[in-house]
Amino acid sequence: MGVRFATYLISFIHHGVKEIDKNDTHLEEIIPENVSAEVETVSEVEKSLLKILRLWGGVTENVPLGERWQKGTLILQPGDKTLKPKELPIEDFFHKIVMLRDRLRVLEQQINAHKQLSDADKVNLQQYITRIYGSLTTFNVLFRNKEHWFVGDKGGKED
């Protein structure tokens, strides 16, 4: 969006850039509250949009697996060596971890938006979710980007 003396340049998704008179009766100005002086970058806007879509629309973002794990195999070896180990592609295991994380985030959002739960109940349930995230920090080693890590009570440190 651009600003001129008597008009705005507004970019519409399906109609491109249009110049709109500031006094147009169909134009509604929305003024956000508590806006900082900083200008958001496209990546910050994209992250915010992805978060909203993920939490409310069931959309999951593409979370990349760490490069060293790509095409790797997870081997679960029973204590009894006479039993056969279970092998599965790390990509499959990682996908399930990401789905678990996304579903926890949706649950967290639904709890926070629930109209019948008291604030105390919401805080109590939120603490359980935070502890679950903390229990899952072991799997952070699989993520390529630290921004996708599970974060528990310690604030982002891996166990």
Side-chain angles (χ1 to χ4, degrees), residues 17-159:
V17 176
K18 301 284 183 189
E19 190 168 354
I20 309 292
D21 188 279
K22 287 184 178 180
N23 297 322
D24 188 311
T25 58
H26 296 96
L27 186 63
E28 179 182 353
E29 184 176 9
I30 301 172
I31 302 171
E33 296 179 12
N34 301 325
V35 177
S36 68
E38 296 178 23
V39 177
E40 286 192 346
T41 64
V42 172
S43 63
E44 290 169 334
V45 171
E46 287 174 349
K47 286 178 191 176
S48 296
L49 182 57
L50 280 172
K51 184 176 181 182
I52 291 166
L53 290 173
R54 182 179 59 246
L55 293 175
W56 291 106
V59 175
T60 59
E61 64 183 305
N62 182 20
V63 178
L65 175 65
E67 290 156 5
R68 69 180 180 169
W69 304 111
Q70 292 174 1
K71 299 183 182 180
T73 303
L74 179 66
I75 301 171
L76 300 173
Q77 178 67 54
D80 181 351
K81 301 294 183 193
T82 63
L83 297 174
K84 186 177 176 182
K86 172 74 176 168
E87 294 185 18
L88 64 144
I90 290 179
E91 284 92 345
D92 293 352
F93 180 74
F94 180 69
H95 177 69
K96 293 192 181 292
I97 295 294
V98 171
M99 286 189 329
L100 171 69
R101 187 199 63 175
D102 289 344
R103 289 177 181 156
L104 274 173
R105 288 177 174 175
V106 171
L107 176 63
E108 186 175 21
Q109 189 62 37
Q110 289 178 348
I111 288 169
N112 290 334
H114 200 283
K115 294 184 183 347
Q116 293 178 347
L117 289 173
S118 70
D119 286 344
D121 289 335
K122 290 177 184 180
V123 167
N124 187 36
L125 291 169
Q126 180 62 44
Q127 288 175 349
Y128 279 103
I129 291 173
T130 300
R131 288 185 202 121
I132 292 169
Y133 285 138
S135 298
L136 295 169
T137 58
T138 299
F139 300 114
N140 286 344
V141 69
L142 296 172
F143 291 88
R144 180 183 300 165
N145 303 318
K146 191 173 183 176
E147 67 195 47
H148 295 123
W149 280 12
F150 290 102
V151 178
D153 287 329
K154 296 178 184 174
K157 296 178 183 169
E158 187 176 359
D159 288 343

